[in-house]
Amino acid sequence: ESITPQAPLIESVVPPESASRMYLRGVRNMAAAQGFTEVYNYSFVTEEMVRAFDMDVAAHVGVTNPIASDQTLLRASLLPAIRKNVLDNSRHFQSFRLFEIGREIHARNRDLPEEVPHFVAAMYAREGDGSASLFELKRLAECLMDGCQARLAQPRPFEHPERAAIIAWEGEDVGRLFELHPSLVPKGRAAILDLDLGTLERLDKGERRYQP
C-alpha cells in the first residue's frame, strides 16, 4: 500500500490483426462446429513413434536437451501423435472425432528447419467398416474447401492398402484422406484427413458471394 500508483510508460494498444491467425481460427471453428474436439500434442516424438509410420529417423531434427529421455526428435508429421491420441482414447470410447492444428518441422541442410502448418482430423469407430468416417472427413474437407476433389492414390506404408486418396483444390494437391493401416489400430478403424494449411491459406480467395 505504500507504493505510489504510476501509469505505465508505454501505452497499451491493440496489435494489428493477423490474417494467418484469423484463417486458422476459422479452420478451428469449422472443425469444432462439425463435432471435432481439438487436441494439443508436444512437438517432440520418439524413435518408436517415427518407425511405426516407416519414416526415416535420420531425416528428423534431433533435440540436444530433450524434455524426456526418449523424445529426442522434432516431429516431421502430426500423424504419430494423432495415432497415440486415437489409441489412448479408444480404451475409453466406442467412437470419437478429434483434430489438431500444428507444425511439421522438416530438416534443411545448413538452414533453420522448415515449419509447415498442418491440420489433421481423425475419426475412430470400434464397430462398422469405417466407410462412414471417410465420407464424414471428406465432408469436412468440402466445408473447408468448397469444390475440393478426392482421387484415389497409391497408399503409403501406414495407410490402408485400399483406402487412400489425395485431396485436390484449385488445381493443387493440398492433402490426403485415408484410413490408418489395420496394424496401427488393432481394435476398430481410424480415418484421417491431413491438410497443408499453408497451401490452403494461399489458395483461399476469401469471401465468396452468392450467385443465383
Side-chain angles (χ1 to χ4, degrees):
E1 293 180 357
S2 63
I3 298 177
T4 303
Q6 190 174 13
L9 299 178
I10 300 176
E11 182 181 359
S12 297
V13 296
V14 178
E17 188 175 88
S18 169
S20 293
R21 185 183 298 121
M22 295 300 295
Y23 182 79
L24 293 181
R25 183 177 299 172
V27 172
R28 180 177 287 109
N29 291 342
M30 178 63 74
Q34 311 304 318
F36 287 78
T37 299
E38 186 172 13
V39 297
Y40 293 90
N41 291 304
Y42 287 117
S43 296
F44 311 106
V45 292
T46 67
E47 292 187 9
E48 181 183 2
M49 293 169 66
V50 171
R51 290 195 178 97
F53 281 78
D54 200 32
M55 298 177 181
D56 185 6
V57 173
H60 286 67
V61 178
V63 181
T64 303
N65 189 21
I67 61 174
S69 59
D70 58 343
Q71 294 181 344
T72 58
L73 305 173
L74 291 178
R75 63 183 179 187
S77 170
L78 276 62
L79 297 176
I82 286 291
R83 179 206 175 213
K84 185 177 185 302
N85 296 145
V86 168
L87 295 179
D88 290 344
N89 283 278
S90 66
R91 293 197 291 266
H92 308 286
F93 304 100
Q94 294 282 340
S95 63
F96 54 85
R97 53 182 70 187
L98 50 84
F99 77 95
E100 181 179 15
I101 293 176
R103 293 179 179 271
E104 294 184 351
I105 303 171
H106 300 280
R108 292 189 295 187
N109 292 333
R110 298 184 180 181
D111 288 322
L112 291 175
E114 180 185 15
E115 299 186 27
V116 183
H118 266 247
F119 169 86
V120 175
M123 288 188 64
Y124 170 83
R126 192 174 299 175
E127 306 293 338
D129 65 356
S131 59
S133 297
L134 288 169
F135 283 114
E136 182 69 5
L137 287 175
K138 182 175 182 290
R139 187 183 68 84
L140 174 60
E142 291 168 345
C143 290
L144 295 171
M145 302 169 288
D146 185 24
C148 69
Q149 301 291 327
R151 68 175 189 274
L152 293 178
Q154 185 70 24
R156 295 176 292 186
F158 53 85
E159 296 175 346
H160 191 288
E162 296 181 357
R163 294 188 170 186
I166 291 175
I167 301 295
W169 189 45
E170 300 292 341
E172 294 191 34
D173 295 343
V174 297
R176 292 180 75 94
L177 172 65
F178 59 92
E179 186 178 299
L180 281 176
H181 195 279
S183 63
L184 295 177
V185 186
K187 296 181 180 180
R189 293 174 176 267
I192 303 289
L193 174 66
D194 185 2
L195 300 175
D196 183 336
L197 285 178
T199 303
L200 259 66
E201 184 179 1
R202 175 172 55 82
L203 296 176
D204 196 313
K205 296 179 174 56
E207 182 181 359
R208 292 175 176 81
R209 295 186 175 275
Y210 169 78
Q211 293 181 353

